[in-house]
Amino acid sequence: MDMREGVKMEPASDSNLSVPIKGTDRKLQLFLFPSQEGEKRIEEAKEFIPSIWRDVSEREWNDWRWQLRHRITTLEQLKEILNLVPEEIEGIKHSKGRLALAVTPYFVSLMDPTNPNCPIRKQAIPRIEECHLSKNDMVDPCGEDKDSPVPGLVHRYPDRVLLLVTDQCATYCRYCTRRRLVGSNERPITQGNFEEVLKYLKSHKKVRDVLLSGGDPLLLENERLEEILSRLRAIPHIELLRIGTRAPVTLPQRITVGLVRMLKKFHPLMISIHFTHPKEISDAVKRACSELADGGIPLGSQTVLLKGINDKPYIIKKLVQELLKIRVRPYYIYQCDLATGTEHFRTSVATGIQIIEKLRGHTTGYAIPTYVVDAPGGGGKIPIEPVYMISRGKGKVVLRNYEGKTFEYPEPNIIEFKKAKSNGEEKAVPKKVMA
């Protein structure tokens, strides 16, 4: 397998130009959570190509390997591109040893160079707040290490496992739940560890679903990723393969014709894409998702709820509606995990409930993700929903709808049949019992 840079490159993407997201959101009138005053305007996705890349050819810009080689990793580079504020400068200086700074030129091009509150910028540029350690912070907030029977594998649920195939991402999100691992070596799983994973899976026949994550699995070269997928697919009881990735958002150039052609060999295969804000949905992202969807790959989104970035109902509503337009089904909204140095990103759980409250009934059901808390220490995902069942009594339940109106639903009678014989025939004798 030749992984050198000199190998023949796959076709580049069509464009990296971002598209403005226009329009405002109407006020929402809800029972539990009153609407905010005034209409809200979503920040538009505008292309900003910093001067340091103006001489880069279109072919280079649309080459995902070029994007990876030219990631922004130092304070000096960022100063040439963004008007940094003191909180960012100090955060970058102190980021060494915490979580690597690395941002693709493409993702930087979506940032507002003068606004430190830009939702793209706040996700990827370190801030001094990361140095604050809360008493609730955890190194391994989801308890993955204790559920790891062999290196690189997490087995928590009975029929599915998580396989960490690399610790590299194209861009490192500052709220990363796996910040204890990612970016440390930027290397794929070793062949020895992968063989141990295969051995474990072959001996655990209840496992039917494997989720590839990391890091970002799509940063592997096609040949290596194909080897991993093919050897997993060869295990008879493995029915479903899934990939968790952020590459279509931070490195959409990675979604090439060659990649999609390879992935199509392994159906049923699903991809969960990490989206955070409507501003991320550029022309390049639309093209990438279109390529994947046209390849017959079901796409879902996973979104982390982040304070000051996407914690308003109108932002999430715009995001999920835009996702459906590019054939991505909103799947999960995660409460931000208790990873070390991320307290400034966390919202209250009530904020998440409010967002779901303001989606239900106000947009199509396909657009409504499941809001979950990944229980600290390894309890798994716990769904959190607004309360729609007000009470349950004898023979009825009292419900409320999205407008706050209440309704009674009568419970059905439970009919028990007793067999009796009369004249040599069986008859059913009903007995009414109230639920």
Side-chain angles (χ1 to χ4, degrees), residues 163-180:
L163 175 56
L164 305 178
V165 297
T166 180
D167 72 338
Q168 184 182 20
C169 291
T171 294
Y172 293 111
C173 302
R174 307 316 302 174
Y175 48 88
C176 181
T177 189
R178 222 168 271 143
R179 59 193 293 139
R180 73 190 187 282

Side-chain angles (χ1 to χ4, degrees), residues 42-261:
I42 302 294
E43 186 174 356
E44 295 182 348
K46 295 181 180 178
E47 182 187 13
F48 166 73
I49 305 297
S51 58
I52 61 172
W53 294 311
R54 283 179 184 164
D55 293 331
V56 173
S57 69
E58 183 178 352
R59 180 181 178 84
E60 288 177 311
W61 183 268
N62 290 323
D63 173 17
W64 68 275
R65 296 179 182 89
W66 182 93
Q67 289 279 337
L68 281 181
R69 289 196 302 269
H70 292 84
R71 287 185 300 172
I72 304 302
T73 58
T74 68
L75 174 61
E76 290 70 27
Q77 289 173 305
L78 275 178
K79 282 182 175 179
E80 292 186 57
I81 302 165
L82 305 176
N83 297 330
L84 298 172
V85 296
E87 293 84 354
E88 291 172 319
I89 294 173
E90 290 304 309
I92 295 166
K93 288 179 178 179
H94 289 84
S95 64
K96 189 175 181 181
R98 297 177 183 271
L99 175 64
L101 163 65
V103 191
T104 59
Y106 164 77
F107 207 52
V108 169
S109 76
L110 298 183
M111 295 181 185
D112 186 328
T114 62
N115 180 11
N117 291 318
C118 165
I120 307 293
R121 186 164 159 172
K122 290 181 76 172
Q123 294 181 61
I125 306 303
R127 294 179 63 92
I128 192 61
E129 289 89 342
E130 289 183 34
C131 295
H132 169 71
L133 300 182
S134 164
K135 64 179 182 180
N136 298 316
D137 285 355
M138 304 173 71
V139 174
D140 180 17
C142 297
E144 293 177 334
D145 293 344
K146 70 180 180 62
D147 287 329
S148 181
V150 295
L153 193 73
V154 179
H155 191 179
R156 171 168 300 143
Y157 301 102
D159 71 337
R160 53 202 183 276
V161 296
L162 171 70
L163 175 56
L164 305 178
V165 297
T166 180
D167 72 338
Q168 184 182 20
C169 291
T171 294
Y172 293 111
C173 302
R174 307 316 302 174
Y175 48 88
C176 181
T177 189
R178 222 168 271 143
R179 59 193 293 139
R180 73 190 187 282
L181 301 175
V182 300
S184 54
N185 298 306
E186 294 204 326
R187 294 176 183 171
I189 188 171
T190 66
Q191 193 63 36
N193 285 347
F194 183 53
E195 296 297 334
E196 287 297 312
V197 167
L198 293 173
K199 182 179 178 181
Y200 178 88
L201 292 177
K202 289 174 182 178
S203 65
H204 289 74
K205 299 187 183 303
K206 290 184 178 180
V207 176
R208 52 176 293 276
D209 178 357
V210 179
L211 169 61
L212 275 63
S213 187
D216 197 317
L218 294 190
L219 293 198
L220 298 178
E221 292 284 345
N222 285 3
E223 295 86 354
R224 179 57 172 154
L225 183 57
E226 182 172 9
E227 179 196 358
I228 291 173
L229 292 172
S230 62
R231 296 194 68 186
L232 291 170
R233 177 60 75 213
I235 300 175
H237 55 272
I238 301 296
E239 301 172 5
L240 179 63
L241 298 175
R242 291 184 288 153
I243 295 174
T245 180
R246 188 143 163 82
V249 177
T250 62
L251 186 65
Q253 296 83 1
R254 177 63 183 102
I255 311 306
T256 63
V257 172
L259 174 66
V260 176
R261 184 188 305 118

Side-chain angles (χ1 to χ4, degrees), residues 18-26 39-46 277-283 286 314-315 317-319 321-322 325:
S18 56
V19 64
I21 300 174
K22 299 179 180 179
T24 54
D25 210 19
R26 296 173 59 191
E39 294 185 345
K40 304 297 182 180
R41 182 176 179 272
I42 302 294
E43 186 174 356
E44 295 182 348
K46 295 181 180 178
H277 192 276
K279 189 176 179 181
E280 296 170 340
I281 304 177
S282 67
D283 274 354
K286 292 177 181 180
Y314 73 93
I315 296 177
K317 183 181 178 184
K318 183 66 175 178
L319 173 62
Q321 290 177 338
E322 292 298 318
K325 288 162 63 175

Side-chain angles (χ1 to χ4, degrees), residues 194-417:
F194 183 53
E195 296 297 334
E196 287 297 312
V197 167
L198 293 173
K199 182 179 178 181
Y200 178 88
L201 292 177
K202 289 174 182 178
S203 65
H204 289 74
K205 299 187 183 303
K206 290 184 178 180
V207 176
R208 52 176 293 276
D209 178 357
V210 179
L211 169 61
L212 275 63
S213 187
D216 197 317
L218 294 190
L219 293 198
L220 298 178
E221 292 284 345
N222 285 3
E223 295 86 354
R224 179 57 172 154
L225 183 57
E226 182 172 9
E227 179 196 358
I228 291 173
L229 292 172
S230 62
R231 296 194 68 186
L232 291 170
R233 177 60 75 213
I235 300 175
H237 55 272
I238 301 296
E239 301 172 5
L240 179 63
L241 298 175
R242 291 184 288 153
I243 295 174
T245 180
R246 188 143 163 82
V249 177
T250 62
L251 186 65
Q253 296 83 1
R254 177 63 183 102
I255 311 306
T256 63
V257 172
L259 174 66
V260 176
R261 184 188 305 118
M262 181 273 289
L263 294 175
K264 286 169 63 175
K265 300 176 184 178
F266 300 103
H267 287 313
L269 180 141
M270 300 180 177
I271 293 182
S272 293
I273 305 172
H274 176 179
F275 281 92
T276 302
H277 192 276
K279 189 176 179 181
E280 296 170 340
I281 304 177
S282 67
D283 274 354
V285 170
K286 292 177 181 180
R287 181 207 59 80
C289 291
S290 179
E291 291 278 357
L292 292 168
D294 287 348
I297 301 171
L299 305 177
S301 73
Q302 300 191 134
T303 298
V304 180
L305 191 59
L306 300 171
K307 186 176 181 180
I309 295 176
N310 63 5
D311 58 337
K312 303 297 182 184
Y314 73 93
I315 296 177
I316 293 294
K317 183 181 178 184
K318 183 66 175 178
L319 173 62
V320 296
Q321 290 177 338
E322 292 298 318
L323 287 173
L324 284 186
K325 288 162 63 175
I326 61 172
R327 292 182 283 175
V328 178
R329 168 72 157 87
Y331 183 30
Y332 281 129
I333 293 182
Y334 285 94
Q335 178 69 12
C336 188
D337 290 328
L338 303 177
T340 303
T342 63
E343 186 177 47
H344 59 292
F345 284 116
R346 296 175 210 148
T347 69
S348 66
V349 172
T351 298
I353 295 174
Q354 178 188 22
I355 288 172
I356 299 300
E357 178 82 37
K358 292 192 174 185
L359 291 178
R360 179 70 63 187
H362 294 273
T363 191
T364 176
Y366 280 112
I368 302 175
T370 301
Y371 174 46
V372 295
V373 174
D374 221 328
K381 299 179 187 67
I382 301 173
I384 308 257
E385 294 284 338
V387 177
Y388 294 106
M389 186 169 73
I390 296 174
S391 66
R392 182 183 181 189
K394 185 176 181 181
K396 70 177 181 181
V397 293
V398 179
L399 309 169
R400 72 167 180 88
N401 72 353
Y402 74 100
E403 297 173 304
K405 298 176 182 178
T406 58
F407 302 85
E408 289 187 3
Y409 180 85
E411 293 274 38
N413 291 331
I414 299 174
I415 302 179
E416 294 182 347
F417 289 94

